[in-house]
Amino acid sequence: MSSVLELNDVSIQFGGLRAVGGLTFSIQPGELVGLIGPNGAGKTTVFNLITGVYQPTSGSIKFGGVSVPGHKPHQITKLGIARTFQNIRLFSSLSVFDNVRTAKMMHLRHGIAHSLFRGPAFLDEEAMIENEVFDLLDIFDLGKEASTPCKSLCYGDQRRLEIVRALATKPKLLLLDEPAAGMNPTEKEELMHLIQFIKDKFQISVLLVEHDMKVVMGICQRIAVLEYGVKIAEGTPAEIQNNPKVIAAYLGTEDGKGPLDA
Amino acid sequence: MDQFVQQLLNGLFLGAIYALIALGYTMVYGVLRFINFAHGDVFMLGAFGGLYVHKALAPLLNALPWPLALAVVMLASMAICAALGIAIEYFAYRPLRNRPRLNVLITAIGVSLFIEYTGQLVFGATQQPFPAIIPRQNISGLGGLTVTMTQVIVVVVTTALLIGLRYIVMRTRLGLAMRALSLNPTAAALMGVNTSVVISFTFGLGSALAAAGGILYASLYPSVDPFMGIQPGIKAFVAAVLGGIGNIPGAALGGMIIGVVETLVTGYSQKLGIPSGYKEGVAFIILILILLFKPSGLLGKVEREKV
Amino acid sequence: MQLLLKYRTQAFLLLALLVSFVVSQASDNIDGYVLQIMLVAGINIILAVSLNLVNGHTGQFSLGHAGFMGVGAYMSAAVSVEMGPSILGLLGGPSTLSHGVTFVIALLVGGLCAAVCGWMVGVPSLRLRGDYLAIVTLGFNEIIRVVFQNTSSSGPFGGALGMRGIPDYSTFFWVFGIAAICIYVVASMVNSTYGRGFLAVRDDEVASESMGVNTVRYKVVAFVLGAFFAGLAGGLYAHLFGAIDPKGFGFLKSVDIIIMVILGGMGSTLGVVVAAIGLTTLNEQLRDAEKFRMIVFSILLIVMMIVRPQGLLPVTFEKKRRKSA
């Protein structure tokens, strides 16, 4: 089976700084992969490369056989990659409903002209989108909050809404950037179930950047470890936990127990 | 050839004044990241400050040798404008700290219009002559070139102020605090920098320089009116962007370049076949070109949005 | 009845056009001074609502709306002055119809020229944000003014003196009909799934892109459409007063329009319409105190930003409930 996403020898340079160097890895359909590493290892940069926010200095990124670099971020979303952000980036002045509706825009058959004439085709499509958005909100228990301004949701719900919004683009691959950040243990537990649930329900691949080792080790099938922009290890959670290089990267020494011992 | 050198020289004198105003834009941008639209109007107030101080103290000043009289007028006007600058920041901009930058810009436009039209009410709408504090005489013995005493003073004062500013920014505690604030406001505050004091100080300093610029400008083109700050203000702003906004040597360099370009365009407009009326648009064309092709300016750094 | 409810937006537009037409027919009974203020208010509504699309909904701060208005005013006036007689001749001499046709052509030419300018400003401005964008649009505004100011005084645009003797075609029907269309276009566009893109771009460009929103396209559409309506407003203005000059389309005029948008609330079409009417009236009240006018307006601007940056009307959220299972 061919990979969903394939990074081959990808590097990016900012001035004199090589943020990511020679990164090669891939994600298979339906796989949940973790990307971990110490602060500043280049995890978010990898996300930005995959989603077209940055262009790689060298190397190739292929999504379903299509070369990603050179596409604008919004085109890449249309190809089927959706993401969330480390620091939540909801549309702060919009309601919960409209936040999700925005993601539906790219599936529209009608455009500016239809929205002006407001004929039967337009109204039908708007009604259809409304239903789809509500279906999605209901799955995640946000349906009753549809008219709420998104910034008055609680933190955990904002994180969830961001994931729902990403799912509304109907992605084949979902990138989650530190979804557990700022959550308490109960919320983290719920999040783990949520990610599992999404992967199974929507039949998509997930790439997860996360600092919380309990979350990563608990749900990922495979984990890649970055340090200074270079992949130092890749394998199952068990392999990663016992990899001396990874332990050294996190602790700087080769003894003792570290954050990897969940 | 002589004419070209003469134009170049005139441009540099004018550019020196633009540099003084540009410094205010650039310093405020450095610490607060917003364009103080009202800065050109502080420049106008500086010129009027000079005019009124001169009127009020005329008997005393006439008794003094002119360099001393100039120093008195200039220092008084700089002090007044520094106080006004601090007041503007305190009443109009401070309540908006941590609000979107655009809101502050709109407020600044409001402040600018307020100063201009209140000025019109107080000072009258017509042009008033500016007193010849600096004797209007030419300095001879420079070949075919004409240089006036005013132009010499412009260069002397500007150079002195630039050196003084450099000293303040690089060698004093407040200067250090300014630089820290412009790099990272949160970190600076956590390290014990009193942000409010530094911002007030920055406004005061920038406004004082604008006031000096105002008096020099009014001595060079000896008349003042409430709207005289608009055009030089815009050109100085362009100078600050050209040099790389937030960058002090950049602002000085940008000011010189804008002064020279403007003088050359005006001087050669007929030969180039451009109506001389277009000179008001020149600054904007330069601005648009810089922002499109090198938005960080000549000496500035690129800022990248973190995703 | 159900049909009417389904297509209520269009019904409102038709009603507004009808009312404008009826009032226009009866406008001889309205006091000339009052009528003139109403027409100015109508033009200001068009200007404010169209600027609101750019500044309010899309979050791109333009300081140059009067420039587009100026292009529309000059171009439409040039059409009706220079080409008007031949169009009238073609249609068999002066009549209500031939005047109407001339005016429509003039307005469309003005609007389209302004739209082209909007595109020329919008495309390079895409790389700029916030205050830089504001300054560059201000620059374009000044450049447009300077260009008109430096045309030959014997040419069609009349240089610094401007143009005179423009036919007075702007009746109640034209002004309020176009205002109604402008409100309809902006409101119905924003209130659709497609139109939520404008608001998304305003809130967060990076997140918009990652949701598949083509931010570039939205910004250009906002600029072009905003400029088009500003151009129409300029055309109406020129054919209302019969004389125009470059100074009328400078930075201060842009500020006038911005104050309306800010007072009404950036992004609120209703608020902006109310503010346009209110400020036009206030402007008339201050006519005798011209010296204080700009002082009052500038204080208004400062106080609004400090006390109520979201505008005078409260911000509302559309109630959404699932309609069918």
Side-chain angles (χ1 to χ4, degrees), chain C residues 196-212:
Chain C
R196 291 288 132 171
F198 293 104
L199 309 185
V201 169
R202 168 186 71 190
D203 281 353
D204 191 326
E205 284 189 30
V206 174
S208 297
E209 281 278 333
S210 82
M211 290 301 111

Side-chain angles (χ1 to χ4, degrees), chain A residues 89 98 116-118 147, chain C residues 10 184 188 191 196 204 320:
Chain A
R89 296 188 90 135
D98 275 340
L116 289 182
F117 292 115
R118 317 204 130 213
S147 307
Chain C
Q10 289 96 324
Y184 173 84
S188 62
N191 286 315
R196 291 288 132 171
D204 191 326
K320 276 283 175 196

Side-chain angles (χ1 to χ4, degrees), chain A residues 73-74 77 89 91-93 97-98 101 105 115-118 120 126 130-131 134-135 138 147 149 165, chain C residues 7 10 184 188 191-193 196-197 202-204 207-211 213-214 218 317 320 322-324:
Chain A
H74 70 90
T77 310
R89 296 188 90 135
F91 301 121
S92 56
S93 71
F97 177 86
D98 275 340
R101 177 150 76 139
M105 202 173 304
S115 71
L116 289 182
F117 292 115
R118 317 204 130 213
E126 292 284 295
E130 205 170 306
N131 273 329
F134 269 113
D135 286 345
D138 283 343
S147 307
R165 189 180 65 173
Chain C
Y7 296 109
Q10 289 96 324
Y184 173 84
S188 62
N191 286 315
S192 68
T193 301
R196 291 288 132 171
R202 168 186 71 190
D203 281 353
D204 191 326
S208 297
E209 281 278 333
S210 82
M211 290 301 111
V213 175
N214 186 344
Y218 275 93
F317 282 86
K320 276 283 175 196
R322 187 187 274 275
K323 289 197 187 87
S324 55

Side-chain angles (χ1 to χ4, degrees), chain B residues 80-187:
Chain B
I80 294 169
C81 284
L84 280 171
I86 291 169
I88 291 170
E89 193 274 326
Y90 187 84
F91 289 111
Y93 303 149
R94 187 159 302 184
L96 293 172
R97 210 158 296 159
N98 305 323
R99 295 268 192 89
R101 273 157 59 186
L102 223 44
N103 291 13
V104 193
L105 178 77
I106 296 168
T107 312
I109 293 172
V111 171
S112 165
L113 293 171
F114 178 75
I115 296 177
E116 284 162 19
Y117 285 89
T118 311
Q120 188 184 28
L121 204 64
V122 176
F123 306 134
T126 47
Q127 288 198 336
Q128 299 182 45
F130 193 78
I133 307 174
I134 307 166
R136 302 217 167 105
Q137 63 189 56
N138 288 347
I139 293 177
S140 49
L142 292 164
L145 302 176
T146 321
V147 174
T148 64
M149 181 61 94
T150 312
Q151 290 175 325
V152 174
I153 294 298
V154 165
V155 171
V156 171
V157 172
T158 304
T159 314
L161 287 174
L162 281 178
I163 293 171
L165 180 70
R166 176 134 189 107
Y167 176 82
I168 291 174
V169 173
M170 302 310 285
R171 294 265 184 272
T172 64
R173 285 182 67 88
L174 266 172
L176 181 65
M178 268 171 71
R179 283 182 286 147
L181 200 61
S182 78
L183 286 174
N184 187 336
T186 319

Side-chain angles (χ1 to χ4, degrees), chain A residues 5 7 10 12 14 43-57 60-63 66-85 173 175 207, chain B residues 304-305 307, chain C residues 129 205-213 215-216:
Chain A
L5 181 76
L7 274 73
V10 172
I12 182 169
F14 294 121
K43 305 180 295 286
T44 299
T45 308
V46 172
F47 268 29
N48 287 336
L49 284 167
I50 298 172
T51 53
V53 177
Y54 298 152
Q55 299 295 324
T57 317
S60 75
I61 304 173
K62 283 218 162 77
F63 178 73
V66 181
S67 176
V68 167
H71 285 86
K72 300 239 172 61
H74 70 90
Q75 295 168 323
I76 293 169
T77 310
K78 286 188 188 105
L79 291 176
I81 304 181
R83 74 177 289 183
T84 66
F85 296 88
L173 170 66
L175 311 179
L207 177 61
Chain B
R304 193 182 267 280
E305 190 190 3
V307 177
Chain C
R129 254 163 235 201
E205 284 189 30
V206 174
S208 297
E209 281 278 333
S210 82
M211 290 301 111
V213 175
T215 52
V216 168

Side-chain angles (χ1 to χ4, degrees), chain C residues 1-200:
Chain C
M1 193 61 217
Q2 207 140 47
L3 207 65
L4 201 62
L5 205 66
K6 196 172 174 187
Y7 296 109
R8 58 187 181 283
T9 344
Q10 289 96 324
F12 272 127
L13 176 63
L14 283 179
L15 186 70
L17 290 175
L18 199 69
V19 169
S20 320
F21 184 73
V22 171
V23 176
S24 198
Q25 294 306 309
S27 64
D28 285 345
N29 302 324
I30 306 172
D31 175 61
Y33 176 67
V34 174
L35 182 65
Q36 170 136 332
I37 296 174
M38 288 166 88
L39 295 183
V40 173
I43 292 172
N44 281 339
I45 289 175
I46 303 171
L47 288 169
V49 170
S50 58
L51 180 64
N52 197 26
L53 176 63
V54 182
N55 288 21
H57 297 115
T58 322
Q60 307 300 302
F61 200 79
S62 165
L63 271 179
H65 214 50
F68 303 129
M69 181 193 178
V71 171
Y74 268 98
M75 291 307 172
S76 66
V79 169
S80 55
V81 170
E82 301 289 320
M83 290 162 56
S86 39
I87 300 175
L88 291 183
L90 224 62
L91 292 167
S95 66
T96 317
L97 178 75
S98 63
H99 282 306
V101 170
T102 315
F103 194 31
V104 168
I105 294 173
L107 284 177
L108 281 179
V109 168
L112 290 175
C113 289
V116 169
C117 290
W119 182 79
M120 278 168 21
V121 176
V123 168
S125 302
L126 290 171
R127 297 172 56 177
L128 306 171
R129 254 163 235 201
D131 30 16
Y132 274 152
L133 175 67
I135 297 287
V136 164
T137 50
L138 163 68
F140 274 111
N141 192 165
E142 284 298 291
I143 290 170
I144 288 172
R145 183 183 63 78
V146 166
V147 166
F148 279 120
Q149 194 139 7
N150 286 287
T151 52
S152 152
S153 55
S154 53
F157 298 130
L161 293 174
M163 296 176 72
R164 281 163 197 292
I166 307 160
D168 54 347
Y169 289 146
S170 293
T171 60
F172 193 94
F173 171 69
W174 289 114
V175 171
F176 282 90
I178 291 174
I181 292 172
C182 176
I183 294 171
Y184 173 84
V185 165
V186 171
S188 62
M189 208 168 60
V190 171
N191 286 315
S192 68
T193 301
Y194 173 85
R196 291 288 132 171
F198 293 104
L199 309 185

